[in-house]
């Protein structure tokens, strides 16, 4: 889903480190044309504030569900 100024979403990142390999959900940033620009240094945190309103927890979990449904990105 390209946007004029780029965009971000959550994705599973697989870190291939031999015996120490692991996967985590990170914020991933894309160029406007959909090319991967980069990802957050730290894994995403599931959190919300009272200002986020009713259903905020469910919306946060839905972002994680969408990330898990996509193919992982290997780095």
């Amino acid at each position: 889903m390209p946007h004029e100024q780029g965009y971000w979403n959550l994705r599973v990142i697989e870190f291939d480190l031999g015996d120490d390999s692991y996967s985590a959900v990170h914020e991933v940033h894309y160029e406007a044309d959909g090319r991967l620009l980069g990802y957050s240094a730290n894994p995403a945190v599931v959190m919300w504030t009272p200002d986020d309103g009713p259903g905020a927890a469910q919306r946060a979990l839905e972002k994680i569900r969408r990330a898990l449904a996509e193919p992982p990105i290997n780095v």
Side-chain angles (χ1 to χ4, degrees):
M1 73 174 135
H3 300 275
E4 280 187 34
Q5 298 181 3
Y7 61 101
W8 69 272
N9 64 9
L10 297 177
R11 291 287 296 273
V12 173
I13 305 287
E14 291 183 337
F15 297 89
D16 185 3
L17 305 170
D19 289 342
D20 294 327
S21 295
Y22 67 95
S23 300
V25 175
H26 286 256
E27 289 184 12
V28 177
H29 303 268
Y30 302 90
E31 297 281 0
D33 64 4
R35 288 180 293 135
L36 180 67
L37 181 62
Y39 58 90
S40 60
N42 297 312
V45 176
V46 178
M47 62 179 276
W48 57 93
T49 70
D51 292 339
D52 293 330
Q58 291 302 319
R59 289 190 300 276
L61 290 175
E62 183 55 35
K63 289 178 184 178
I64 299 291
R65 281 188 203 89
R66 286 195 302 265
L68 295 173
E70 292 291 326
I73 298 171
N74 296 304
V75 297

